[in-house]
Amino acid sequence: MLPELATQLDQTATEIEQIQTAITEKIRDLQVDLQTAQKRDSDLRTQLKTVMAETGTKNWESELFSITYVAPSTRVIVDSKRLKEENPELYSKYSKESKVTDSVRITLKQEELKGEVH
């Protein structure tokens, strides 16, 4: 009985190791796929920004999605840490300007596509 139990434990340990290896490989593959997809998405968005900015296109609508070009701009923000330290009444003195880069916003239109997992 003891040798049979030892054999079963060895088989179970081997099976667990095989499962762990398969899971590890699947996670690695998914991470590579995710990085590839993120790079493709970034490249596409860069191309879209360029084309939309050059052609003056603000929106592009289809039945599946809406793409909106957001032009570069600047905005004024308050350096709140410095303002709190020195004088809360001097809001304008401690305001600073920061650049806002252009971007492309893509919105899926069909609800069933939003939750779809492939």
Side-chain angles (χ1 to χ4, degrees):
M1 173 121 175
L2 237 42
E4 291 172 8
L5 186 57
T7 301
Q8 285 179 341
L9 286 174
D10 286 342
Q11 288 173 343
T12 301
T14 301
E15 289 171 1
I16 289 172
E17 193 173 307
Q18 290 171 344
I19 291 169
Q20 288 173 333
T21 299
I23 290 171
T24 300
E25 290 172 358
K26 185 66 175 174
I27 290 171
R28 182 200 61 223
D29 292 346
L30 288 171
Q31 288 298 312
V32 168
D33 291 348
L34 177 61
Q35 289 174 356
T36 300
Q38 287 172 330
K39 173 73 171 117
R40 290 176 63 199
D41 179 72
S42 176
D43 292 346
L44 176 63
R45 286 173 185 269
T46 299
Q47 292 172 13
L48 282 168
K49 279 194 309 188
T50 301
V51 170
M52 292 177 85
E54 288 175 355
T55 61
T57 305
K58 302 290 184 205
N59 289 310
W60 175 22
E61 301 275 337
S62 83
E63 61 186 42
L64 299 177
F65 57 82
S66 169
I67 298 176
T68 304
Y69 173 73
V70 181
S73 62
T74 58
R75 68 178 145 197
V76 175
I77 61 170
V78 176
D79 184 345
S80 60
K81 180 179 177 185
R82 185 172 175 192
L83 191 60
K84 285 179 186 177
E85 289 173 359
E86 295 186 16
N87 190 335
E89 296 175 15
L90 299 176
Y91 175 90
S92 62
K93 181 176 180 180
Y94 296 103
S95 296
K96 61 182 181 179
E97 195 172 275
S98 65
K99 301 280 183 201
V100 179
T101 62
D102 58 347
S103 64
V104 172
R105 188 174 298 132
I106 300 174
T107 307
L108 294 178
K109 287 186 174 181
Q110 293 184 351
E111 193 63 36
E112 61 270 10
L113 292 177
K114 291 181 183 179
E116 201 169 296
V117 178
H118 294 280

